[in-house]
Amino acid sequence: TALSQIARMVEAAQASKAPAQRLADRVSSIFVPIVIVLAVATGLVWLAVSGEVETALRNSVAVLIIACPCALGLATPTAIMVGSGRGAELGILFKTAEVFERTRTVDTIAFDKTGTITTGRMTVDSVETMVDEDRLFTLVASLESASGHPVARALTLAAEERGLSLSSPSDVEELPGGGIRGTVDGTGVVVGNIGLIRSIGMKITPDVTGRVDELESRGRTVFLAAWNGEIRGVVGVVDAPRPAVAGAIRELAAMDIDLVMVTGDNPVTANAVAEDVGIGRVLDQVRPAEKAAAVEMLQQRGETVAFVGDGVNDAPALTQADLGMAVGSGTDIAIEAGDVVLLSGDPRLVVTAVRLARRTHRTISQNLFWAFFYNAAAIPLAALGQLDPSVAAL
């Protein structure tokens, strides 16, 4: 069940060791024998100096008590336990303790656009047709019914809302990053972006080009529908940004994190969406298979990259990134590939996850500092007989 998987992830995170904990364990493995030798030496010296067994034993025990490595041993797991538990309450699953440390170094967050920055639910926004509109939607939606793409779902939904009867297409060929072609009721239909239409040698008039440019400047994804060698319609679909995304972007920018949007859209549409939500950098026309390469390119520039995505084609990028943040409303494979799972699509969870991870890591660092500091300060006092065992225990 989903609940058992969540419980397993939280338990795994709490049971794993952060790099800081491994350091503390190594220090403890050296620290404990040294303290035992020091405690024995303290007892022997005091016995020789004072000749009192009780005094020698008291000071020797004080050294052992004050140097008890519990503080070192608990510094990390206690913070991890609280951090991961609090994350689960907020809908954030950290898969390992190491994630808390890696999040601290992230200086760039790359967002997949569709389904992460936007809702992932595309709707038909505008239609300009040179033929009967019902005829256009019947042919286009019938062809798109063979695809699972969000644009295809928007077109088929629009046709269903009109009460149109759809046919089963044949010879369907999906062209990733371009569109789809096939045969509907004996008519060869192509639905795709302007680049695809140009590539098959179809003539595009200045009026059509102007309409496409106008829609794209408003952040619409535009597709042309064509059959019998001519363009028959221009369809604009919109995938609205999530309501809270602009606020989340502002908060991340205030944390000195660079923000990047990764999308397959053309530059005009991509920049319109990015400007709407406040993202300054855009990697556009990135095909699904190229997302991991886009993340690698950022890493080669010296950036420590977190990638936020939700789809099957995001899994390689989530794995390539220094920190993969999978939106839990997405696919199982994306969730499996991510280091952090956000159980809802609310973009504010990205902000919360970064803050919580950084706060947890800061707590670990503070715990380790005070554990080392009071040991370094108090062991000499105990050895010199200036620290009563009851005070050392406190």
Side-chain angles (χ1 to χ4, degrees):
T1 63
L3 181 61
S4 68
Q5 290 179 44
I6 290 170
R8 177 174 54 81
M9 287 182 187
V10 175
E11 289 169 359
Q14 293 178 343
S16 62
K17 287 188 177 183
Q21 176 63 33
R22 288 194 286 271
L23 172 63
D25 289 347
R26 286 197 298 272
V27 170
S28 294
S29 68
I30 301 169
F31 178 74
V32 170
I34 290 175
V35 167
I36 291 173
V37 171
L38 185 60
V40 171
T42 298
L44 293 175
V45 170
W46 275 101
L47 184 61
V49 171
S50 67
E52 298 177 5
V53 175
E54 182 182 344
T55 300
L57 187 60
R58 184 177 66 247
N59 293 339
S60 179
V61 168
V63 170
L64 285 176
I65 293 174
I66 196 64
C68 174
C70 290
L72 286 174
L74 293 174
T76 300
T78 306
I80 295 296
M81 186 77 69
V82 175
S84 57
R86 181 62 180 146
E89 290 176 7
L90 297 170
I92 303 163
L93 301 181
F94 297 96
K95 285 192 174 180
T96 65
E98 187 182 358
V99 171
F100 293 101
E101 190 155 333
R102 272 192 279 155
T103 305
R104 179 180 62 89
T105 62
V106 166
D107 54 28
T108 301
I109 297 182
F111 287 87
D112 173 53
K113 190 201 84 168
T114 304
T116 305
I117 287 177
T118 62
T119 61
R121 295 186 296 275
M122 289 190 168
T123 56
V124 175
D125 180 67
S126 60
V127 181
E128 189 170 307
T129 178
M130 297 76 170
V131 296
D132 177 70
E133 200 166 290
D134 283 353
R135 164 83 171 156
L136 176 80
F137 270 101
T138 298
L139 288 176
V140 169
S142 294
L143 176 61
E144 295 283 10
S145 66
S147 172
H149 195 280
V151 172
R153 291 197 292 271
L155 292 169
T156 53
L157 181 61
E160 290 170 3
E161 288 174 349
R162 292 166 177 262
L164 301 176
S165 178
L166 304 183
S167 304
S168 296
S170 59
D171 303 323
V172 177
E173 181 186 3
E174 290 201 58
L175 307 164
I180 188 170
R181 62 167 63 177
T183 303
V184 180
D185 296 332
T187 302
V189 182
V190 180
V191 180
N193 58 32
I194 196 167
L196 173 65
I197 300 300
R198 280 201 183 103
S199 70
I200 61 177
M202 201 168 290
K203 182 181 178 181
I204 302 174
T205 66
D207 287 346
V208 170
T209 302
R211 182 60 175 157
V212 170
D213 291 344
E214 190 270 330
L215 288 171
E216 288 180 345
S217 68
R218 290 164 42 204
R220 274 42 178 176
T221 300
V222 185
F223 288 89
L224 305 179
W227 59 86
N228 295 335
E230 293 184 23
I231 295 172
R232 307 292 180 168
V234 181
V235 181
V237 297
V238 62
D239 183 8
R242 294 181 183 273
V245 72
I249 294 300
R250 284 194 300 272
E251 290 187 60
L252 290 169
M255 297 162 67
D256 293 327
I257 294 175
D258 291 330
L259 302 161
V260 182
M261 187 179 79
V262 182
T263 177
D265 287 345
N266 64 74
V268 177
T269 302
N271 284 310
V273 174
E275 185 178 352
D276 191 27
V277 300
I279 293 179
R281 270 202 295 173
V282 178
L283 300 179
D284 53 64
Q285 295 181 310
V286 178
R287 293 178 180 272
E290 298 170 348
K291 289 182 180 180
V295 171
E296 186 178 10
M297 179 192 70
L298 294 172
Q299 291 171 324
Q300 288 173 347
R301 294 177 181 174
E303 300 176 50
T304 303
V305 183
F307 184 84
V308 186
D310 73 319
V312 171
N313 53 38
D314 293 332
L318 289 166
T319 304
Q320 173 65 41
D322 299 286
L323 183 72
M325 304 182 79
V327 177
S329 56
T331 61
D332 288 344
I333 191 169
I335 294 171
E336 194 63 32
D339 301 301
V340 180
V341 180
L342 312 176
L343 293 180
S344 79
D346 187 345
R348 289 172 297 188
L349 284 184
V350 176
V351 182
T352 305
V354 171
R355 284 180 173 161
L356 179 58
R358 290 183 172 183
R359 179 69 178 273
T360 302
H361 184 269
R362 186 163 68 248
T363 300
I364 292 170
S365 300
Q366 290 170 347
N367 287 352
L368 289 172
F369 169 79
W370 286 111
F372 282 116
F373 177 80
Y374 87 73
N375 273 305
I379 287 176
L381 293 177
L384 293 171
Q386 303 300 308
L387 195 62
D388 188 87
S390 60
V391 177
L394 179 62

